[in-house]
């Protein structure tokens, strides 16, 4: 017998967004790490045990005869399939290319949210061994409904810890914390707060342009329906400007993006989408599940320089406080902003005793909005700025110019002296 579950507010928003997105694979998630020094058997067992422990990774969606959606979970741990591929006979570069091709294929495939099969799948790719011992890519495929980027890192850390430490007791009971949080996120009190937040956001967005780029409806669609460009970034150190202005690094990146868009479009007041976590406590920071909301960021790109960076920090603070705003009310009162911006952390190598692991480069994806931007920057290593857009939004030349403008502004804002 299955047990009922309550979909959280972020899950309901993702379902609504997924239905209206023209790309059926828009919310398919593929993520992987490269692990040195862990035997395959231990890694396989750790992956299945860890995934089975988290109740939120196994919810099945149900649709009744009135087209109402509900969720349920089985009474016991679900079986987690693990696919294994031996690439140890290949040259290292060829082995990595094989993994990249597999990830790209998985990322482009629509995820069946309505099936009864496992909600998460693992794949192990055994690479040529290194001096540290076994070298393995551990990859997973799931849907954004079940996890967010922060939760993925929680899963990887737990998997590595379990694989590195022999099990000395029976598996722990299922983690039901996300289920309890989901119920609280859709309570009557939460709904009232979400309406109030939506009203505040709508008021702040007045006189701001949600679609600064005109649609080129006469342009024939591209082969895949969207374009994309990636620009490598040299190390970007935001420490000095962050300390001097008492702002976070995200404010500096946001200022560079906003200035570039304003210069290119002529609109000085714009609204951006930005993913923000609804995790608010230390306890919630340790829960696997989807806590991400798409917050609206109204930005006034005047004046520029330091004052723009400070304004962007204020906008981020406002958006964070109101990230729980009800999406439906916002779409009716504000509209759907054309541009989304995700500021991501660059991949870093992590260590647990003798075991090291690092994130594997994620495959490029199509846009969830007419123009999707992803920016990652580091003071010590390379970063990247990626744009993907629908064929009616930008040209290749406009996209290249936007990335160039953004890079220039990022360098100016972080220049020392």
């Amino acid at each position: 017998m299955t047990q009922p579950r309550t979909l959280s507010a972020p899950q309901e928003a993702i379902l609504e967004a997924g239905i209206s997105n023209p790309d059926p694979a828009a919310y398919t998630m593929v993520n992987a790490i490269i692990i040195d020094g862990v035997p395959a058997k231990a890694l396989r067992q750790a992956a299945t045990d860890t995934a089975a422990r988290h109740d939120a990774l196994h919810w099945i969606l149900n649709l009744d005869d009135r087209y109402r959606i509900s969720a349920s979970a089985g009474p016991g741990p679900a079986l987690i399939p693990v696919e294994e591929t031996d690439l140890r006979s290949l040259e290292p570069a060829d082995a990595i290319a094989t993994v990249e091709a597999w990830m790209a294929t998985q990322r482009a495939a629509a995820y069946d949210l309505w099936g009864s099969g496992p909600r998460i799948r693992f794949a192990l790719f055994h690479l040529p061994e290194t001096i540290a011992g076994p070298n393995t890519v551990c990859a997973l495929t799931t849907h954004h409904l079940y996890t967010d980027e922060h939760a993925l890192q929680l899963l990887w850390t737990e998997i590595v810890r379990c694989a590195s430490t022999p099990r000395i007791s029976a598996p722990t009971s299922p983690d039901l914390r996300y289920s309890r949080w989901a119920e609280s996120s859709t309570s009557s009190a939460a709904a009232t707060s979400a309406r109030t937040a939506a009203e505040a956001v709508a008021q702040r967005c007045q006189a701001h342009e949600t679609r600064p780029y005109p649609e080129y409806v006469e342009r024939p669609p591209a082969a895949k329906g969207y374009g994309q460009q990636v620009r490598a970034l040299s190390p970007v150190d935001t420490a000095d400007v962050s300390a001097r202005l008492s702002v976070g690094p995200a404010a500096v990146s946001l200022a560079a993006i906003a200035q570039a868009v304003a210069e290119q479009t002529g609109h000085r007041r714009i609204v951006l989408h930005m993913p923000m976590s609804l995790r608010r406590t230390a306890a919630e920071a340790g829960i696997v599940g989807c806590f991400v909301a798409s917050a609206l960021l109204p930005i006034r790109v005047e004046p520029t320089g330091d004052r723009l960076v400070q304004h962007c920090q204020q906008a981020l603070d406002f958006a964070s406080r109101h990230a729980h705003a009800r999406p439906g009310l916002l779409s009716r009162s504000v509209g759907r902003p054309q541009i989304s911006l995700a500021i991501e952390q660059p991949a870093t190598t992590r260590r647990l005793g003798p075991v090291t692991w690092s994130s594997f480069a994620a495959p490029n994806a199509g846009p969830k909005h007419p123009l999707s931007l992803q920016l990652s920057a580091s003071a010590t290593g390379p970063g990247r700025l990626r744009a993907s857009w629908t064929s009616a939004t930008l040209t290749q030349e406009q996209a290249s110019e936007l990335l160039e403008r953004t890079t220039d502004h990022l360098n100016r804002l972080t220049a020392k002296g």
Side-chain angles (χ1 to χ4, degrees):
M1 178 180 293
T2 60
Q3 301 169 340
R5 296 289 185 263
T6 301
L7 289 172
S8 68
Q11 289 176 315
E12 291 179 346
I14 287 174
L15 276 176
E16 181 179 344
I19 292 171
S20 61
N21 197 297
D23 180 4
Y27 291 92
T28 299
M29 297 189 77
V30 182
N31 198 267
I33 58 173
I34 302 180
I35 309 174
D36 289 325
V38 177
K41 181 179 179 181
L43 192 55
R44 182 171 57 249
Q45 189 65 53
T48 56
D49 287 351
T50 298
R53 191 177 76 82
H54 294 282
D55 174 76
L57 299 178
H58 307 288
W59 296 5
I60 300 293
L61 296 187
N62 312 296
L63 192 66
D64 66 16
D65 55 4
R66 296 185 180 182
Y67 297 98
R68 294 175 301 191
I69 298 172
S70 61
S72 61
L79 295 176
I80 312 298
V82 179
E83 169 189 337
E84 293 195 55
T85 304
D86 192 342
L87 304 177
R88 286 173 289 190
S89 63
L90 300 181
E91 292 295 323
D94 293 334
I96 294 297
T98 300
V99 177
E100 291 174 339
W102 179 89
M103 292 182 68
T105 299
Q106 296 293 312
R107 178 61 189 81
Y111 186 97
D112 183 10
L113 274 173
W114 307 99
S116 59
R119 307 289 86 188
I120 185 171
R121 296 176 175 86
F122 283 97
L124 299 182
F125 296 88
H126 305 298
L127 307 181
E129 290 197 7
T130 67
I131 58 174
N135 190 23
T136 308
V137 172
C138 185
L140 64 81
T141 303
T142 186
H143 190 277
H144 200 4
L145 188 80
Y146 297 99
T147 185
D148 54 30
E149 294 292 339
H150 178 81
L152 288 176
Q153 300 312 310
L154 293 176
L155 284 174
W156 292 134
T157 301
E158 185 174 342
I159 288 170
V160 173
R161 181 181 295 113
C162 291
S164 305
T165 306
R167 190 199 305 177
I168 57 176
S169 60
T172 56
S173 57
D175 186 347
L176 300 176
R177 289 179 295 169
Y178 186 77
S179 179
R180 293 190 286 269
W181 182 86
E183 291 181 6
S184 69
S185 75
T186 55
S187 66
S188 57
T192 299
S193 178
R195 285 195 298 270
T196 302
E199 292 168 358
V201 173
Q203 184 176 11
R204 184 71 68 95
C205 288
Q206 289 181 358
H208 284 67
E209 176 60 55
T210 60
R211 306 184 70 84
Y213 289 95
E215 288 191 354
Y216 294 85
V217 293
E218 73 279 4
R219 183 188 304 143
K224 292 185 178 180
Y226 61 88
Q228 54 186 350
Q229 287 189 14
V230 178
R231 175 162 300 201
L233 297 179
S234 300
V236 177
D237 189 354
T238 62
D240 285 355
V241 64
S242 294
R244 178 166 54 84
L245 301 179
S246 298
V247 300
V252 183
S253 299
L254 177 58
I257 292 284
Q259 184 68 50
V261 171
E263 289 179 351
Q264 191 172 62
T265 65
H267 291 287
R268 313 296 295 183
R269 292 171 177 260
I270 58 177
V271 180
L272 306 179
H273 263 299
M274 178 176 281
M276 288 191 172
S277 176
L278 296 183
R279 291 177 172 88
R280 298 296 187 234
T281 67
E284 290 169 354
I287 300 176
V288 168
C290 180
F291 287 78
V292 170
S294 188
L296 297 194
L297 271 171
I299 303 294
R300 186 182 72 256
V301 191
E302 47 186 3
T304 59
D306 286 356
R307 293 182 63 186
L308 174 59
V309 174
Q310 291 171 322
H311 170 68
C312 286
Q313 182 61 60
Q314 294 167 0
L316 287 167
D317 293 341
F318 174 82
S320 179
R321 293 194 302 271
H322 298 83
H324 61 292
R326 177 169 287 183
L329 293 177
L330 288 175
S331 62
R332 290 193 291 273
S333 58
V334 179
R336 181 175 171 81
Q338 187 180 45
I339 304 172
S340 67
L341 170 62
I343 298 177
E344 304 170 338
Q345 295 297 320
T348 57
T349 299
R350 304 180 65 185
R351 179 180 295 276
L352 183 65
V355 177
T356 61
W357 75 98
S358 59
S359 297
F360 197 88
N364 288 336
K368 291 186 176 68
H369 296 80
L371 170 59
S372 292
L373 300 167
Q374 295 171 302
L375 189 151
S376 63
S378 168
T380 58
R384 78 169 192 167
L385 174 61
R386 177 177 177 270
S388 58
W389 63 93
T390 55
S391 57
T393 308
L394 272 74
T395 64
Q396 289 281 346
E397 294 76 16
Q398 285 176 314
S400 180
E401 179 189 0
L402 177 62
L403 298 191
E404 183 176 352
R405 287 178 184 271
T406 300
T407 303
D408 289 344
H409 284 297
L410 195 57
N411 291 333
R412 289 195 191 103
L413 289 170
T414 57
K416 298 179 180 180

